Every structure is written in C-alpha cells, then in structure tokens.
Amino acid sequence: MQLAKYCFLSSLLAINCAFAEIQPQDFSHWPVNGELKQLDVEQQQFVSLWLEEETPQKRGTIILLPDWGISPSAPNSIDSLRQALPKLGWETGAILPPKPMSGLMQQAETENDEQLQQYKLSLQAVIQAAKQNQAEQFGFQVIIAQGVMGAWLVELLAEDELEQPDGIVLISAYYPNQTLNKKLAEQTATLAIPVLDIYAEHYNHWQQQAREQRLTASNKNQKLNYRQTHLPATADTAPNSAKLNKTVYGWFNALGWY
C-alpha cells in the first residue's frame, strides 16, 4: 500500500505542459504523512499534501511552497514546518509548484516576457486551487515559500494576483537574476502584510545578495512589519529545522496570534 502511494505520487508529478514542465523526482523518502489531494489546474495535475491541526482550537491554514526541484522531505526543505505546525494548531498544505522550462529566469530581463507571464498565471492557479482544498476557511491565512517560490509569491501579492494572506514567511527567497532581485526587494518593501524573511546559511550566492537588497529597501520604506533573521546551518549545510520551527512560532507569537 505504501509503495502504491509513492508510485501514485510519482506518476502525477511526471505530467508536463507546454510552458511548465514538472520534473520527475525521487519521492521514495517522502513519508506520506497526511492526506494526498490532487489539484487539477488547466488540464494539469499537481499534488498537495495536507495535515489537520492537532489542537482543540484551530489557528488557521498555512500553505507551503518548496523551492524548485526540492522534495518537501529533503533536509533543506520546508517539511519540518509542515509536520510541526499542526501540533501548534495549524492546518498545513504543501504544494509541489510547477517548474518552469530550463533557463527561464536567467534569460528574463523584463516583466513582459511572455514565458514569465505564462508561468506566473500557472503558479497563481495552483495556489488558488490549494486554497480551495482547505478543510475550512477559518482563522489566519499564511503562505510559507522557499527559494525562487518566495520571490514569485511576493510578485503575485505585490501585483494583487492573489488574495492577500494575513502574513507570509520567506525562506532564502531569491531570483537567479540580478535585475529581478532588485525588483523583488522593492515589491517586498511595499507589501502591507507582515513579512518574516529568513535567510539560511550557505543556501546560494543569489540569496545573499537578494536578502541584503530586501533589508535595505524595507528599512528605506520604513516597513515596520518586516523582520529579517538568520538561520544557521547544520554540519551538512542544511537549515536547522528546530531553529526554523522556533523562529516561525516566535514570529506568530509576536504578531499576537497566540
């Protein structure tokens, strides 16, 4: 039965489309801990994995987006949050977002690039489909996004392409493009919602540059509900899961959500 679930998950992730190719990945080490929900978006199929809150009172729902090409169970992914937050009263849903065609971000220099716009619409549709799969629309709504997904999330919110959540958490957010990272910093600084900006040690060189630009832009724009914090690495340079969980919980507490 367990093997069948893994095969089912892998087969769904192998479906491609003209402008967003979903790369086959090895999910043999992804424990299917939670409810698997298939998201049908624009004749494509995406996978989401949900866990219910484990407390009498539900705090809200958190949607999690791992970085491109990273399994949610990898040591440098958002899986620790996915599994820890239900114990604190949160419903969590992890999505495997569409992966753009190779070289899309490196070649993009203008926001009018057709492929970028197509990908943006695809990602928007997947996130909206995930929100519709929540057990119930209740409590605080939060989106946690890692790597390039964090950058795309900010852009969608800054351009009002998504309904504004109550807050977002960025983990090592970046674009692999200098021009777009500058734009990302400006967009982050103008968001009205609270932003927790976590940068993990040794993630990549793009992240370091991008996070410095976001901090400068947020200070310049006096964005008072912006917090940037450093996440130390473990011996194998993977983000420290215990520290990550504590940091996110502490931020929720500072916002008065506990």
Side-chain angles (χ1 to χ4, degrees):
M1 179 65 69
Q2 192 81 340
L3 179 59
K5 287 183 178 179
Y6 289 141
C7 293
F8 169 69
L9 181 58
S10 298
S11 64
L12 290 179
L13 292 170
I15 298 173
N16 297 333
C17 69
F19 59 85
E21 55 181 80
I22 304 176
Q23 299 297 322
Q25 300 178 42
D26 177 16
F27 287 92
S28 60
H29 299 295
W30 184 8
V32 184
N33 176 21
E35 181 184 1
L36 251 136
K37 295 182 181 181
Q38 179 177 309
L39 307 178
D40 295 318
V41 180
E42 299 174 352
Q43 298 182 333
Q44 302 173 70
Q45 294 175 319
F46 298 89
V47 172
S48 61
L49 187 59
W50 295 82
L51 286 170
E52 294 183 356
E53 69 279 3
E54 299 177 16
T55 58
Q57 180 182 4
K58 180 178 180 178
R59 299 289 177 180
T61 299
I62 297 177
I63 293 176
L64 302 105
L65 303 168
D67 201 356
W68 288 345
I70 295 182
S71 162
S73 66
N76 57 343
S77 78
I78 42 76
D79 192 55
S80 66
L81 287 170
R82 183 186 75 85
Q83 299 200 53
L85 289 170
K87 296 177 176 61
L88 300 174
W90 297 88
E91 173 192 29
T92 62
I95 310 170
L96 288 173
K99 178 172 171 49
M101 292 189 296
S102 178
L104 175 62
M105 298 307 307
Q106 289 85 345
Q107 299 169 4
E109 291 295 339
T110 70
E111 60 179 311
N112 296 319
D113 182 276
E114 183 177 356
Q115 287 184 325
L116 278 175
Q117 293 302 311
Q118 287 180 326
Y119 182 78
K120 187 191 301 183
L121 291 174
S122 180
L123 179 61
Q124 174 194 18
V126 172
I127 296 175
Q128 288 176 334
K131 289 180 67 66
Q132 293 171 1
N133 274 272
Q134 293 177 213
E136 59 177 338
Q137 298 284 338
F138 177 83
F140 298 106
Q141 302 295 306
V142 180
I143 304 178
I144 298 177
Q146 178 188 24
V148 178
M149 284 300 103
W152 277 110
L153 173 63
V154 169
E155 181 162 342
L156 286 169
L157 293 172
E159 297 179 357
D160 292 323
E161 300 288 346
L162 284 177
E163 181 180 352
Q164 299 289 312
D166 294 296
I168 62 172
V169 179
L170 306 177
I171 303 175
S172 301
Y174 74 97
Y175 280 125
N177 179 288
Q178 185 173 359
T179 301
L180 293 179
N181 275 328
K182 182 177 180 181
K183 176 184 174 183
L184 169 62
E186 295 169 352
Q187 290 177 326
T188 303
T190 58
L191 290 179
I193 59 175
V195 177
L196 174 61
D197 191 353
I198 301 172
Y199 63 99
E201 194 170 326
H202 307 311
Y203 199 78
N204 61 38
H205 75 280
W206 286 111
Q207 175 221 220
Q208 181 63 23
Q209 179 191 63
R211 74 94 183 168
E212 292 172 353
Q213 291 174 324
R214 289 195 299 275
L215 181 60
T216 299
S218 295
N219 287 338
K220 184 176 180 180
N221 284 272
Q222 295 182 310
K223 181 172 173 55
L224 301 180
N225 57 359
Y226 173 85
R227 178 189 295 181
Q228 186 175 105
T229 185
H230 169 240
L231 185 67
T234 58
D236 60 356
T237 72
N240 188 312
S241 296
K243 176 68 173 177
L244 175 61
N245 297 347
K246 184 177 180 180
T247 298
V248 172
Y249 170 76
W251 185 62
F252 289 164
N253 193 51
L255 291 174
W257 294 355
Y258 281 93

